[in-house]
């Protein structure tokens, strides 16, 4: 039997850990699998779910990865990201409400990883600095720094590389005329940690997607002054903002603390938060390996949304690079597919066929009109991959996502108070003890222990 492929996984967030999980499953089943090394630059796993209070640079002087805020609660129902082979009921032993705080989701993720003893496969405090493909030997050279001792490790050779470093960590920060002289605080959502900090302050948020929506709600919940969300292309589409949040066209300039908007109106604010999204940034990959894209439902150059076509070697894969409705389950099925390809259980078609397949998906992407279309599109993508890997699970939760969109449009302040039924356990989540807008205790203990143990 030929040697196992030697695979480098970069990043131990939900995506990278899913690769370790499925590779381990192959191993336990006695099937051909890969020998994996996972490099993680932080001192713990979990990716964005591994909360950090730091902003700017981390303790080693490297860019801080974390973008989540302390008071974050899931912005989608847990039933839409639940793993079919490890449900929330499996983990907590009972039904819990549907929109868990950050710590609860982190605990859930870790439960699945601990159950398979994956921790010893991750090398913490190691940062991948450089990846190049060697044409002559058809493999990769990976340069890694051990941050804990500030030393480069000797170059490592791998047959395959899995890029799982996420794409919500490097802020996109446009310039607006006069902003350099704004007298108040300016930050990007990447550096937003606590909404309480802005109590009583008048705020301008630039952007109209998830970050603008959630940070505006967080800030009002924690007692900020009025919030204006300023949009470039279209408003959020939510008509039921609670009192104190409004949407306006894009700002045109900043004069002192007065903001001028395209519709001719002005407003004075104390704080500006850029909710303008993130850059896809892979400085450690050599040019020909680097995915260059904006946030899209189906980024160009990735067969099955996963395999990098740019370099012609079929050996580098990206996980979790899409605009996300599905999250954990999408990363998971991508990882399962990637494991099957790497271990040789799935054969790839020729490059023309792979190219045509990408084109087909991207043409369909061009026809998407709204969130409901996006959900149907991503459901098809996820289910298509699940079918390819021969999964016994039906991962289609489109009906739940559609209800979630309906609930958000009905009332953005109360959507987290709604309940959803798990498609895997068929049990409904329970109603949370307090409406989200008035719930200040986001501890795991309080959230989980509001129902009796089974
Ligand atoms: P990440 O979680 O970003 O993990 C990437 C890992 O790679 C990190 O651990 C990082 O340290 C490591 N890494 C990076 N560079 C290197 C390097 N050079 N060498 C070694 N290691 C490296 N999703 C939901 O489903 N529900 C939510 O409610 C939700 N809320 C969110 C709120 C915010 C503010 C943000 C930013 C995202 C949110 N998401 C949410 C989406 C989130 O992206 C995914 O849930 C998930 O974290 C993506 O996993 P990942 O493994 O692909 O990337
Ligand atoms: P997104 O989803 O990328 O949204 C970015 C928003 O910022 C979007 O409304 C953009 O407007 C706007 N944007 C981007 N560039 C500009 C400029 N130059 N001027 C004005 N407005 C701009 O990022 P989010 O942070 O909301 O969400 C990312 C993840 O973080 C998500 O998964 C969440 O769970 C948390 P556009 O609509 O393109 O005109």
């Amino acid at each position: 039997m030929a040697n196992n492929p030697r695979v480098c996984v970069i990043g131990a967030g939900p995506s990278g850990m899913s690769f370790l999980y499925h590779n381990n499953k192959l191993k336990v089943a006695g099937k051909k699998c890969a020998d994996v090394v996972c490099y993680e630059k932080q001192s713990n796993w979990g990716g964005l779910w591994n909360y950090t209070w730091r902003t700017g640079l981390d303790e080693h002087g490297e860019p801080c990865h974390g973008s989540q805020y302390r008071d974050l609660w899931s912005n989608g129902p847990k039933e839409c990201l639940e793993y079919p082979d490890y449900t929330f009921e499996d983990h907590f032993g009972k039904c819990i409400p549907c929109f868990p705080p950050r710590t609860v989701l982190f605990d859930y993720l870790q439960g699945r990883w601990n159950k398979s003893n994956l921790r010893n496969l991750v090398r913490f405090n190691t940062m991948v600095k450089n990846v190049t493909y060697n044409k002559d030997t058809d493999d990769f050279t990976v340069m890694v720094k051990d941050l804990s001792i500030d030393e480069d490790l000797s170059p490592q050779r791998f047959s395959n590389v899995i890029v799982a470093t996420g794409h919500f960590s490097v802020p996109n920060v446009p310039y607006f005329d006069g902003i350099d002289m704004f007298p108040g605080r300016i930050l990007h959502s990447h550096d937003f940690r606590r909404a309480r900090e802005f109590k009583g302050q008048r705020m301008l948020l630039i952007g109209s997607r998830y970050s603008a929506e959630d940070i505006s709600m967080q800030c009002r919940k924690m007692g900020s002054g009025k919030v204006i969300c300023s949009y470039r292309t279209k408003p959020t589409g939510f008509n039921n903002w609670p009192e104190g949040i409004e949407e306006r066209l894009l700002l045109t300039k900043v004069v002192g603390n007065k903001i001028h908007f395209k519709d001719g109106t002005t407003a004075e604010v104390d704080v500006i938060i850029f909710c303008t999204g993130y850059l896809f940034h892979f400085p450690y990959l050599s040019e020909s390996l680097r995915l260059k894209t904006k946030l899209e439902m189906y980024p160009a150059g990735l067969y099955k949304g996963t395999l990098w076509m740019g370099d012609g070697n079929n050996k580098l894969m990206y996980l979790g690079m899409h605009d996300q409705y599905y999250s954990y389950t999408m990363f998971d099925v991508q990882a399962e597919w990637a494991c099957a390809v790497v271990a040789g259980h799935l054969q790839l078609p020729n490059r023309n066929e792979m190219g045509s397949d990408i084109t087909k998906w991207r043409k369909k992407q061009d026809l998407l009109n709204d969130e409901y279309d996006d959900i149907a599109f991503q459901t098809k993508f996820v289910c298509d991959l699940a079918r390819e890997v021969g999964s016994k699970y039906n991962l289609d939760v489109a009906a739940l996502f559609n209800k979630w969109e309906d609930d958000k449009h009905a009332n953005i302040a109360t959507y987290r108070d709604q309940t959803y039924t798990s498609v895997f356990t068929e049990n409904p989540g329970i109603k949370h003890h307090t409406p989200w807008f008035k719930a200040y205790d986001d501890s795991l203990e309080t959230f989980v222990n509001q129902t009796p143990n089974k």
Side-chain angles (χ1 to χ4, degrees), residues 217-218 220-222 242 245 413 417 434-440:
M217 293 295 295
Q218 285 288 346
R220 287 299 288 163
K221 178 174 170 179
M222 300 299 181
I245 303 179
D417 305 330
T434 310
W436 173 81
F437 204 60
K438 293 189 183 319
Y440 296 104

Side-chain angles (χ1 to χ4, degrees), residues 188-389:
H188 185 274
S189 54
H190 171 61
D191 295 324
F192 176 83
R193 291 289 178 271
R194 295 226 78 184
R196 283 179 175 83
E197 177 189 347
F198 302 106
K199 196 167 180 200
Q201 308 219 13
R202 299 163 299 176
M203 316 194 54
L204 171 70
L205 272 52
I206 308 171
S208 58
R209 290 198 79 214
Y210 294 106
S211 295
E213 162 197 320
D214 209 34
I215 291 177
S216 60
M217 293 295 295
Q218 285 288 346
C219 288
R220 287 299 288 163
K221 178 174 170 179
M222 300 299 181
S224 77
K226 288 195 171 170
V227 179
I228 299 172
C229 296
S230 176
Y231 61 90
R232 175 172 65 178
T233 313
K234 52 179 188 167
T236 58
F238 304 123
N239 300 316
N240 287 303
W241 286 107
E243 189 273 322
I245 303 179
E246 61 166 298
E247 292 192 75
R248 289 196 200 179
L249 282 168
L250 195 59
L251 61 153
T252 51
K253 62 177 175 181
V254 179
V255 182
N257 68 351
K258 191 184 267 187
I259 312 297
H260 293 250
F261 298 93
K262 262 189 174 168
D263 60 5
T265 61
T266 60
E268 289 192 357
V269 301
D270 305 303
V271 180
I272 299 176
I273 305 186
F274 282 90
C275 298
T276 41
Y278 294 87
L279 303 174
F280 284 72
H281 191 63
F282 307 100
Y284 56 85
L285 295 176
S286 63
E287 185 66 25
S288 63
L289 303 175
R290 216 177 274 174
L291 171 68
K292 291 185 182 173
T293 182
K294 59 184 172 47
L295 191 59
E296 287 193 278
M297 295 297 291
Y298 207 96
L302 295 176
Y303 175 63
K304 297 289 168 189
T306 306
L307 183 121
W308 178 237
M309 297 280 288
D311 205 35
N313 61 48
N314 293 347
K315 291 189 156 188
L316 182 107
M317 303 202 209
Y318 283 87
L319 302 178
M321 293 299 149
H322 311 74
D323 195 355
Q324 297 159 10
Y325 288 82
Y326 286 79
S327 57
Y328 300 170
T329 48
M330 179 167 67
F331 315 148
D332 204 55
V333 75
Q334 278 186 278
E336 190 173 359
W337 184 85
C339 283
V341 171
V342 167
H345 302 304
L346 264 182
Q347 299 308 316
L348 295 170
N350 67 43
R351 286 183 65 83
N352 279 344
E353 282 175 58
M354 292 198 280
S356 311
D357 192 68
I358 297 175
T359 307
K360 186 186 78 189
W361 281 97
R362 285 182 56 80
K363 279 193 175 150
K364 283 189 192 151
Q365 171 179 252
D366 290 342
L367 303 175
L368 303 175
N369 277 320
D370 59 19
E371 294 89 344
Y372 297 93
D373 286 354
D374 291 353
I375 290 163
F377 179 88
Q378 201 155 77
T379 301
K380 197 165 175 330
F381 168 68
V382 167
C383 292
D384 183 67
L385 270 186
R387 220 177 0 262
E388 272 228 13
V389 294

Side-chain angles (χ1 to χ4, degrees), residues 11-26:
S15 294
M17 292 309 299
S18 273
F19 190 93
L20 301 190
Y21 179 84
H22 283 290
N23 190 61
N24 185 60
K25 251 177 121 171
L26 290 177

Side-chain angles (χ1 to χ4, degrees), residues 386-412:
R387 220 177 0 262
E388 272 228 13
V389 294
S391 170
K392 61 182 179 188
Y393 299 109
N394 180 1
L395 299 175
D396 181 346
V397 290
L400 302 184
F401 272 122
N402 289 340
K403 171 174 155 39
W404 168 69
E405 282 292 346
D406 290 346
D407 290 344
K408 278 173 83 171
H409 284 91
N411 193 333
I412 186 71

